Amino acid sequence: MTENKTLRIALGQFSVRESSEENQAVVRDLIDRAEAGGAELLVMPESVIAQKPGAPAWSRTHAEPLDGPFVTALREATKGRRVTVVCTVLARIPGETRCANDLLVVRDGKVLLTYQKLHLYDAFSGRESDNCLAGESVPELVDIGPFRCGFMTCYDIRFPELARALALKGATLLVVSAAWYRGPLKESHWDITLRSRALENTAFVAAVSECGAACIGSSKIVDPLGVVTAQCGASDQLLFADIEADAVTRARASLPVLENRRFAAPRLREPGEL
């Protein structure tokens, strides 16, 4: 029997609503439709429990523990399903006023990975650190179909060291959950940065941004040579795309940047270290 080397991805782009209950309904619908469409991976935006444009603290004040209603509903919705679901939630931390911005990988009712966002968006007019605490570790990889998947959250993609660290661990697909804010040149930054992370690591990138009043949407798949092969618009959309694991093998054979590099593998710097 020939091994299946194709992965069907569903990009579940939507405008996050103001309440957990509304977003639970959206997420359940996307999971149902992704499963029906044969997807093995569904990627959704960042901070999907609750968002309100113009109210940066809204997500923090509506955060829930990881065993709260939203994640419980998410886990229930995946039970008995083939599809692996990736999204990001703001999770309460016991004894802290700020939250964890946690990317979750969920399959068949189980949370396979929780990754606390390393790079908080303290840039342009944003101050994510007012509401969140940064993580302290590079996420582990998760196997989905024929791909080894590494994970990043939004602002993480502006830091090539994380993508390179994941590629050197063995990642062939980089999965991004984001809420990429609108602003001058921001759509260009999103496109250039995703394509760069793909090309410099000869890996696929599957990235989903929230859409709506505050965020750009434009979720996309980028191939290992930096070519956008599928892309959403600026409104709610579920987009399916098939990617081939052999494309990574071919790219790395013709463009062996991971082998040719002269720099050591990136590591997290110690406190106070430059």
Side-chain angles (χ1 to χ4, degrees):
M1 181 180 294
T2 303
E3 181 184 0
N4 184 6
K5 293 188 176 181
T6 300
L7 179 70
R8 172 158 286 192
I9 301 174
L11 304 179
Q13 174 178 292
F14 67 99
S15 178
V16 179
R17 281 59 166 173
E18 293 184 14
S19 75
S20 174
E21 293 78 13
E22 291 176 286
N23 292 311
Q24 287 175 41
V26 173
V27 166
R28 283 194 296 266
D29 178 65
L30 286 172
I31 291 171
D32 288 345
R33 291 162 59 198
E35 179 79 7
E40 291 183 74
L41 171 62
L42 168 63
V43 187
M44 295 186 291
E46 180 183 18
S47 193
V48 293
I49 292 180
Q51 289 268 32
K52 185 176 181 179
W58 186 268
S59 295
R60 174 177 57 79
T61 59
H62 289 76
E64 301 176 4
L66 290 178
D67 59 356
F70 186 91
V71 177
T72 298
L74 174 63
R75 292 176 60 189
E76 286 294 324
T78 66
K79 282 185 177 178
R81 306 297 183 91
R82 182 187 187 191
V83 66
T84 300
V85 177
V86 176
C87 64
T88 310
V89 301
L90 259 62
R92 291 179 186 164
I93 303 172
E96 293 283 353
T97 57
R98 290 181 289 172
C99 300
N101 191 340
D102 283 342
L103 181 145
L104 306 178
V105 181
V106 183
R107 182 192 301 155
D108 194 18
K110 301 179 179 64
V111 177
L112 305 182
L113 176 73
T114 302
Y115 158 61
Q116 188 172 346
K117 185 178 181 180
L118 278 170
H119 301 99
L120 299 181
Y121 184 63
D122 287 0
F124 298 109
S125 59
R127 282 286 304 171
E128 188 176 6
S129 63
D130 289 345
N131 295 297
C132 296
L133 292 172
E136 297 294 339
S137 60
V138 174
E140 296 301 318
L141 305 185
V142 175
D143 291 336
I144 304 175
F147 286 87
R148 302 216 72 201
C149 299
F151 302 90
M152 297 184 288
T153 303
C154 203
Y155 192 47
D156 279 339
I157 68 169
R158 290 186 183 270
F159 300 87
E161 298 88 352
L162 178 55
R164 176 53 54 89
L166 294 168
L168 292 177
K169 281 187 170 187
T172 52
L173 169 60
L174 301 173
V175 181
V176 182
S177 174
W180 200 263
Y181 288 118
R182 297 182 181 277
L185 298 176
K186 293 297 290 297
E187 288 193 38
S188 178
H189 291 186
W190 172 250
D191 182 70
I192 291 169
T193 309
L194 291 174
R195 293 173 66 186
S196 297
R197 299 297 83 83
L199 178 59
E200 69 200 10
N201 294 294
T202 50
F204 277 99
V205 171
V208 170
S209 170
E210 186 189 354
C211 58
C215 297
I216 67 169
S218 192
S219 304
K220 63 189 72 184
I221 303 286
V222 186
D223 79 7
L225 293 178
V227 177
V228 176
T229 59
Q231 181 167 306
C232 295
S235 57
D236 288 18
Q237 186 176 354
L238 181 65
L239 179 65
F240 292 90
D242 295 331
I243 63 173
E244 300 283 343
D246 286 344
V248 178
T249 304
R250 292 192 298 270
R252 290 181 175 179
S254 62
L255 182 63
V257 290
L258 298 180
E259 293 181 19
N260 294 161
R261 64 191 169 86
R262 297 289 301 278
F263 286 87
R267 62 172 178 81
L268 288 171
R269 62 183 177 89
E270 300 295 331
E273 182 183 4
L274 295 178

